[in-house]
Coordinates of all heavy atoms in Angstrom, one line a residue:
S511 N 71.0 30.2 121.5 CA 69.7 29.7 121.2 C 69.7 28.8 119.9 O 69.1 27.8 119.8 CB 68.8 30.9 121.0 OG 67.5 30.4 120.6
L512 N 70.5 29.2 118.9 CA 70.6 28.5 117.7 C 71.2 27.1 118.0 O 70.7 26.1 117.3 CB 71.4 29.3 116.6 CG 71.5 28.6 115.3 CD1 70.1 28.4 114.7 CD2 72.4 29.5 114.4
V514 N 71.0 25.4 120.7 CA 70.1 24.6 121.4 C 69.1 24.0 120.4 O 68.7 22.8 120.5 CB 69.4 25.4 122.5 CG1 68.2 24.6 123.1 CG2 70.3 25.8 123.6
T515 N 68.6 24.8 119.5 CA 67.6 24.4 118.5 C 68.3 23.4 117.6 O 67.5 22.3 117.4 CB 67.3 25.6 117.6 OG1 66.6 26.7 118.5 CG2 66.2 25.1 116.6
I516 N 69.5 23.5 117.2 CA 70.1 22.5 116.4 C 70.3 21.2 117.2 O 70.0 20.1 116.6 CB 71.5 23.0 115.9 CG1 71.3 24.1 114.9 CG2 72.3 21.9 115.3 CD1 72.6 24.8 114.5
S517 N 70.6 21.2 118.4 CA 70.8 20.1 119.2 C 69.4 19.3 119.4 O 69.4 18.1 119.3 CB 71.3 20.5 120.7 OG 71.4 19.3 121.4
L518 N 68.3 20.1 119.6 CA 67.0 19.5 119.7 C 66.7 18.8 118.4 O 66.1 17.6 118.4 CB 66.0 20.4 120.1 CG 66.1 21.1 121.5 CD1 65.0 22.2 121.7 CD2 65.8 20.0 122.6
L519 N 66.9 19.4 117.3 CA 66.5 18.9 116.0 C 67.3 17.6 115.8 O 66.8 16.6 115.3 CB 66.8 20.0 114.9 CG 66.4 19.5 113.5 CD1 65.0 19.2 113.5 CD2 66.7 20.7 112.5
A522 N 65.7 15.0 117.8 CA 64.4 14.6 117.2 C 64.6 13.7 116.0 O 63.8 12.8 115.7 CB 63.6 15.8 116.9
R529 N 57.5 15.5 115.6 CA 56.6 16.6 115.3 C 57.0 17.7 116.2 O 57.1 17.6 117.4 CB 55.2 16.2 115.5 CG 54.2 17.3 115.1 CD 52.8 16.8 115.4 NE 51.8 17.7 114.9 CZ 51.1 17.6 113.8 NH1 51.3 16.5 113.1 NH2 50.2 18.4 113.4
R530 N 57.2 18.9 115.6 CA 57.5 20.1 116.4 C 56.3 20.7 117.0 O 55.3 20.9 116.3 CB 58.2 21.1 115.5 CG 58.6 22.4 116.4 CD 59.5 23.3 115.7 NE 59.9 24.5 116.5 CZ 60.7 25.4 116.0 NH1 61.2 25.3 114.9 NH2 61.1 26.4 116.9
V531 N 56.3 20.9 118.3 CA 55.2 21.4 119.0 C 55.7 22.6 119.9 O 56.4 22.3 121.0 CB 54.4 20.3 119.9 CG1 53.3 21.0 120.6 CG2 54.1 19.2 119.1
G532 N 55.5 23.8 119.5 CA 56.0 24.9 120.3 C 57.5 24.9 120.2 O 58.1 24.8 119.1
Q533 N 58.2 25.0 121.3 CA 59.6 25.0 121.4 C 60.2 23.6 121.6 O 61.4 23.5 121.7 CB 60.1 25.9 122.5 CG 59.7 27.3 122.4 CD 60.3 28.0 121.1 OE1 61.5 27.7 120.8 NE2 59.5 28.7 120.4
K534 N 59.4 22.5 121.6 CA 59.8 21.2 121.8 C 59.3 20.3 120.5 O 58.7 20.7 119.6 CB 59.1 20.6 123.0 CG 59.6 21.3 124.3 CD 59.0 20.7 125.6 CE 59.5 21.4 126.8 NZ 59.0 20.8 128.0
Y535 N 60.0 19.1 120.6 CA 59.6 18.1 119.6 C 59.0 16.9 120.3 O 59.5 16.4 121.4 CB 60.8 17.6 118.9 CG 61.4 18.7 117.9 CD1 62.2 19.6 118.3 CD2 60.9 18.7 116.6 CE1 62.8 20.5 117.5 CE2 61.4 19.6 115.7 CZ 62.3 20.6 116.1 OH 62.8 21.5 115.3
Y536 N 57.8 16.4 119.8 CA 57.3 15.1 120.2 C 57.8 14.0 119.3 O 57.7 14.1 118.1 CB 55.7 15.1 120.1 CG 55.1 16.1 121.1 CD1 53.7 16.2 121.1 CD2 55.7 16.7 122.1 CE1 53.0 17.0 122.0 CE2 55.1 17.5 123.1 CZ 53.8 17.7 123.0 OH 53.1 18.5 123.9
R563 N 50.7 20.8 127.6 CA 50.5 21.8 128.7 C 49.4 22.8 128.1 O 49.1 23.8 128.8 CB 51.8 22.5 129.0 CG 52.7 21.6 129.7 CD 54.1 22.2 129.8 NE 55.0 21.3 130.7 CZ 55.6 20.2 130.3 NH1 55.4 19.9 129.0 NH2 56.3 19.6 131.1
T564 N 48.9 22.5 126.9 CA 47.9 23.3 126.3 C 47.0 22.5 125.5 O 47.3 21.3 125.2 CB 48.4 24.5 125.4 OG1 49.1 23.9 124.3 CG2 49.3 25.4 126.2
E566 N 46.3 22.9 122.4 CA 47.0 22.7 121.1 C 48.0 21.7 121.1 O 48.1 20.8 120.2 CB 47.6 24.1 120.7 CG 48.3 24.0 119.4 CD 49.0 25.3 119.1 OE1 49.1 26.3 120.0 OE2 49.6 25.5 118.0
Q567 N 48.8 21.6 122.2 CA 49.7 20.5 122.4 C 49.0 19.2 122.6 O 49.5 18.2 122.0 CB 50.6 20.8 123.6 CG 51.5 22.0 123.4 CD 52.3 22.3 124.6 OE1 52.4 21.5 125.6 NE2 53.1 23.5 124.6
E646 N 59.1 13.9 124.7 CA 59.3 15.3 124.3 C 60.7 15.8 124.6 O 61.3 15.4 125.7 CB 58.3 16.2 125.1 CG 58.4 16.3 126.6 CD 57.5 17.2 127.2 OE1 56.4 17.4 126.6 OE2 57.8 17.7 128.3
I647 N 61.4 16.3 123.6 CA 62.6 16.8 123.8 C 62.8 18.3 123.4 O 62.0 18.7 122.6 CB 63.7 15.9 123.0 CG1 63.3 15.9 121.5 CG2 63.8 14.6 123.6 CD1 64.3 15.1 120.7

Side-chain angles (χ1 to χ4, degrees):
S511 176
L512 182 59
V514 171
T515 301
I516 293 175
S517 177
L518 289 176
L519 182 58
R529 182 186 187 96
R530 183 172 183 177
V531 181
Q533 298 299 316
K534 296 184 178 183
Y535 288 89
Y536 290 175
R563 293 169 177 80
T564 65
E566 181 182 3
Q567 294 178 5
E646 62 178 27
I647 56 178

